[in-house]
Amino acid sequence: MSSRALKKLHGKDDLAIIEKSLTSTKAHKTNSGANSSEDEDRSEEEFVSTPKKQNLFSLVLEDEELSSGNDEAVQEIIPNASKSTKKKKNKKKNKRNKKLVEEDIDELLASTGSLPSTLTTAISRAGDSFDPLSIQLKNLNPENEMKKKFGQKVVGENSRRRQTHKTYKKTVHLVTPDPGWHPVTKTGFEMNLVGREGECHVFQIEHKSEYQKIQNKFWDAVDSMAPENLMAVLQLHAYHIDTLLQLSEVCRMSEDPQMAAELIERALYAFESSFHPLFNMTTGKCLLKYKVWENRGFFLALFRHLINVGNRGCYRTSLEYCKLLLGLDPEADPLCALLFIDFYSLRSDEYTYLIQLYTLWKDSRNLRILPNFAFSVPLAMFHTSQPDTPQRTGADEMLQESLMMFPGLLQPLLEECGVNTEADKSINKHFGEHKQQRQPASLRQLVHLYVGRTGSCWKAPECIEWLEANVKKCCEIGESNPERFSQLTSRGYSIYRGVAPPNVCRHLLMSDNKKAIADLPQEVTSSSILSYDPLPPADTVRSYDRQSNRVRAVSNQGFLSAFINSLRPNFDVNALMAEDEEAELDGAAGGAGNLRRAGAGLINAVRELLNNIELVGPERDDEDAQLPPNDEWD
């Protein structure tokens, strides 16, 4: 506040009184031994500007009107100022105490290399209550993670804009609805409580009669291979789950990830709007069985959403979604969430969680035999330990055992990290290309998947140096004790002699890793694989069957239809060209020929078609009818 305003507010005489009181209090503090730094913080502006209830419009009044209240103002200003300085002193003392405690802990760790016994017992007791499937709702919002990384100012502006236009009454946590989305009134399906399994509640999604009719129209649209039929289904029901999943896959293939992610978010928003009141995502004790066909859309939407969130760099949020996906059906793990939970733990620096998860499930879930846990867990132990400590020694021993059990993983990992070992004869002898060729196909799939996904976590210089030191140690063991090396390698090969389980095959198909998909068995690639229900389980449970009014697919329906048909993993272009030649002999236009001729404008046509969708609510009658609601690994 300027001196002119102060004079107008308090007058010259009262202002002199305030200055004298300030100087007297400063002198009293210095005589009592107070710190000089704290005295400097108590400035004139701090005393005068502290009253919050002072009327700002009083500055425009005349001096005569303010003169009567000057004495009372002086009495109110000084006590408030003393209270604010006391709060500042307490905050400074708390900060100093916290720094002292942190320095003491650092000195203990530096001197002993481990925590004291009292702290370790407290941590062990906390580990007894460790629940790997419990989640926190705040971690399901990627904007919270973005704010931690880039700050409130960068992310907060966009979130404030969305909140100003928010018209939704129900609170949702899985996604943040866009203001342009059609509001969910009736989804056509509902979640019901069907039983209990121990401490867990078992839920099931049920389709109502009107939704079943739309589902039959969707099946007919998929058989027709015409994208306009899918658009018609979406016009009938703005939140039809399988249509959203199918169109999201079309957008992803047409290189439009933003639209693909939005369609998945719409599906999750529809699911959460239909949750049962007892369905609590945070506890990890609410189950949905994947074998029930109506439940699968929620699994597939969560899987694709967490990958989309991870592609944005929000790995902590993806880890939370991964725990939610695993907790829906932890015994079966139908989409094999265990194959990427280690990756998101490493990228989000949740090393302790990964170590505790492995310690808890390594025997019951056979995590020892999975290459991703065999290499990611010692890496997490490396990040959480100090040199020459028991934990670092345990990380070294576990990494060495993993290298000898899966020797074919080292060379692809080093290539991913940009390390060339061709000149090292010892490494080529024990970890050369011949080790990769001898790997079973099912093991080679997991190796390609792990290297392609988690290889970036090993690129840090300290990690490369630690890996090379343990590789040299393994080479020494291979020279001095070759029997142990060969026994561990034979054990790793023998585990993966069979065909990969269906949940692993589903994960590989949805992860879109070309090298891993190339090694899938022929019985998987030759079967009909649908993006809205990949590899359905043999014990599938359905509450209703498809009606018989099926539309026979025609091969020559235009380039858009041929593009939709090409999305199938078992698509055979040679067979389509053969049909095209037969059609040309009969005087008809061929689908494959049209596909080649219109290939340049195909992606733009699909993107324009999807951007022009107008979502409408469910149909209603005049009477205001409502939408009711093989061998595997050993």
Side-chain angles (χ1 to χ4, degrees):
M1 188 177 291
S2 63
S3 58
R4 180 180 179 183
L6 290 174
K7 290 179 181 179
K8 194 170 186 179
L9 176 64
H10 298 287
K12 296 181 179 180
D13 298 336
D14 294 336
L15 190 61
I17 295 173
I18 295 174
E19 291 178 353
K20 290 181 180 180
S21 62
L22 287 174
T23 54
S24 61
T25 51
K26 287 183 181 179
H28 179 70
K29 289 292 181 180
T30 51
N31 294 332
S32 60
N35 294 328
S36 60
S37 60
E38 296 177 357
D39 295 335
E40 293 176 357
D41 294 337
R42 300 174 59 193
S43 60
E44 293 182 10
E45 295 181 358
E46 183 180 356
F47 279 94
V48 177
S49 61
T50 48
K52 297 181 179 180
K53 296 183 179 180
Q54 183 66 35
N55 187 3
L56 297 178
F57 293 98
S58 62
L59 296 177
V60 300
L61 299 177
E62 297 295 334
D63 294 340
E64 297 177 356
E65 297 179 0
L66 292 174
S67 59
S68 60
N70 286 341
D71 297 336
E72 297 179 357
V74 173
Q75 294 177 0
E76 292 178 0
I77 290 170
I78 297 176
N80 291 335
S82 61
K83 291 180 181 179
S84 63
T85 53
K86 289 181 180 179
K87 291 181 179 179
K88 289 186 177 182
K89 287 182 181 179
N90 293 331
K91 289 182 180 179
K92 290 181 180 180
K93 290 181 180 179
N94 292 333
K95 289 181 180 179
R96 290 175 183 174
N97 293 333
K98 289 181 180 179
K99 289 182 179 180
L100 291 175
V101 172
E102 292 176 356
E103 291 175 357
D104 294 339
I105 293 176
D106 293 338
E107 290 178 359
L108 285 173
L109 289 174
S111 60
T112 62
S114 61
L115 292 173
S117 59
T118 55
L119 291 178
T120 53
T121 53
I123 293 174
S124 63
R125 290 176 182 175
D128 296 338
S129 60
F130 170 70
D131 187 0
L133 302 179
S134 63
I135 64 174
Q136 295 181 1
L137 294 178
K138 65 178 182 179
N139 292 331
L140 292 176
N141 189 354
E143 289 187 357
N144 294 334
E145 185 174 0
M146 298 281 283
K147 290 176 183 178
K148 291 182 180 179
K149 290 183 176 181
F150 304 107
Q152 176 71 28
K153 294 182 179 179
V154 178
V155 185
E157 185 66 25
N158 186 26
S159 62
R160 282 194 296 269
R161 291 176 181 176
R162 300 181 71 174
Q163 288 176 2
T164 53
H165 299 282
K166 188 174 181 180
T167 58
Y168 301 94
K169 295 181 179 180
K170 186 175 181 179
T171 303
V172 291
H173 300 93
L174 293 178
V175 295
T176 302
D178 190 86
W181 291 3
H182 194 281
V184 175
T185 54
K186 298 290 184 181
T187 59
F189 56 87
E190 61 183 2
M191 179 183 289
N192 296 323
L193 179 64
V194 296
R196 292 179 62 94
E197 289 186 4
E199 298 180 354
C200 301
H201 293 86
V202 182
F203 297 87
Q204 180 174 328
I205 296 174
E206 297 181 2
H207 294 172
K208 298 182 180 180
S209 58
E210 290 296 328
Y211 192 92
Q212 295 178 14
K213 295 178 182 179
I214 298 175
Q215 183 67 31
N216 280 280
K217 293 181 180 180
F218 166 77
W219 284 326
D220 294 340
V222 171
D223 285 346
S224 68
M225 300 298 170
E228 57 270 16
N229 293 337
L230 289 176
M231 299 300 108
V233 174
L234 203 61
Q235 291 286 347
L236 291 175
H237 197 295
Y239 290 99
H240 184 260
I241 301 302
D242 288 349
T243 304
L244 293 173
L245 294 175
Q246 187 75 12
L247 288 176
S248 174
E249 191 67 10
V250 173
C251 293
R252 187 185 66 83
M253 297 292 292
S254 61
E255 299 180 358
D256 193 352
Q258 184 177 2
M259 178 65 72
E262 181 180 341
L263 293 174
I264 294 298
E265 290 177 359
R266 290 173 184 263
L268 289 176
Y269 176 54
F271 274 118
E272 190 171 4
S273 300
S274 303
F275 278 176
H276 191 274
L278 295 179
F279 187 81
N280 189 356
M281 298 182 294
T282 61
T283 60
K285 296 182 180 180
C286 296
L287 306 181
L288 281 174
K289 297 298 182 180
Y290 190 81
K291 66 179 181 180
V292 179
W293 169 74
E294 292 86 347
N295 296 343
R296 292 176 198 163
F298 190 44
F299 286 83
L300 299 175
L302 281 177
F303 188 98
R304 294 174 183 172
H305 182 64
L306 72 90
I307 290 180
N308 293 334
V309 172
N311 291 337
R312 295 167 53 188
C314 300
Y315 301 109
R316 182 64 183 85
T317 306
S318 294
L319 175 61
E320 211 72 5
Y321 277 104
C322 189
K323 292 191 286 184
L324 174 60
L325 177 63
L326 181 60
L328 293 177
D329 196 354
E331 295 297 330
D333 192 10
L335 298 182
C336 213
L338 289 174
L339 288 181
F340 54 21
I341 195 171
D342 63 299
F343 166 70
Y344 293 115
S345 299
L346 291 175
R347 291 307 302 263
S348 59
D349 297 338
E350 293 291 330
Y351 306 121
T352 304
Y353 170 79
L354 180 59
I355 297 172
Q356 290 179 334
L357 175 66
Y358 176 78
T359 305
L360 183 65
W361 282 359
K362 63 180 179 181
D363 296 324
S364 60
R365 305 297 294 270
N366 292 326
L367 299 185
R368 299 173 182 269
I369 66 174
L370 292 177
N372 58 316
F373 277 92
F375 283 85
S376 293
V377 173
L379 181 60
M381 297 171 64
F382 168 77
H383 284 295
T384 56
S385 62
Q386 298 293 331
D388 300 329
T389 58
Q391 190 176 8
R392 177 62 62 86
T393 303
D396 295 339
E397 294 175 353
M398 184 175 180
L399 180 60
Q400 294 168 15
E401 184 177 352
S402 301
L403 287 169
M404 290 184 286
M405 184 179 293
F406 307 110
L409 190 144
L410 178 63
Q411 287 291 353
L413 182 60
L414 292 177
E415 292 177 1
E416 182 70 19
C417 297
V419 179
N420 189 2
T421 60
E422 294 179 357
D424 197 324
K425 296 182 179 179
S426 179
I427 294 179
N428 293 329
K429 178 181 178 181
H430 299 285
F431 301 97
E433 187 176 354
H434 63 284
K435 296 289 185 178
Q436 303 179 41
Q437 296 175 354
R438 290 179 55 189
Q439 291 180 131
S442 56
L443 176 59
R444 192 161 52 247
Q445 297 166 6
L446 298 184
V447 168
H448 289 313
L449 182 67
Y450 179 77
V451 172
R453 176 181 287 159
T454 320
S456 59
C457 299
W458 291 85
K459 291 184 178 181
E462 61 273 13
C463 296
I464 294 293
E465 183 180 355
W466 175 64
L467 177 62
E468 290 178 348
N470 284 278
V471 169
K472 292 180 180 179
K473 184 65 177 178
C474 291
C475 294
E476 295 176 0
I477 295 175
E479 297 294 337
S480 61
N481 192 0
E483 294 181 358
R484 181 190 174 192
F485 199 113
S486 60
Q487 286 177 358
L488 289 173
T489 304
S490 301
R491 178 189 171 191
Y493 289 170
S494 62
I495 294 173
Y496 292 93
R497 285 179 180 174
V499 180
N503 61 340
V504 176
C505 295
R506 291 190 202 103
H507 185 98
L508 295 175
L509 288 171
M510 297 184 66
S511 63
D512 199 24
N513 188 305
K514 295 180 179 180
K515 291 184 178 180
I517 294 175
D519 291 322
L520 285 173
Q522 185 178 1
E523 53 267 26
V524 174
T525 56
S526 61
S527 61
S528 179
I529 302 174
L530 301 173
S531 59
Y532 62 90
D533 190 9
L535 300 179
D539 57 346
T540 298
V541 177
R542 288 177 176 269
S543 60
Y544 65 96
D545 295 324
R546 181 180 179 180
Q547 296 179 359
S548 60
N549 55 341
R550 300 181 61 183
V551 179
R552 186 172 60 88
V554 182
S555 61
N556 54 351
Q557 290 182 345
F559 65 92
L560 283 178
S561 302
F563 172 71
I564 298 298
N565 191 16
S566 67
L567 294 179
R568 293 176 177 267
N570 58 342
F571 172 70
D572 190 357
V573 67
N574 296 324
L576 185 60
M577 293 176 65
E579 294 178 3
D580 182 29
E581 293 176 358
E582 293 178 1
E584 287 179 354
L585 293 175
D586 295 337
N594 290 336
L595 179 61
R596 283 193 297 268
R597 286 190 295 269
L602 178 61
I603 294 178
N604 293 331
V606 174
R607 183 178 291 110
E608 182 179 358
L609 181 65
L610 293 174
N611 289 334
N612 292 330
I613 295 177
E614 281 189 16
L615 299 179
V616 298
E619 291 182 333
R620 295 179 180 269
D621 298 334
D622 296 337
E623 299 178 358
D624 195 18
Q626 296 183 355
L627 275 178
N630 310 320
D631 294 339
E632 298 180 0
W633 301 335
D634 297 332

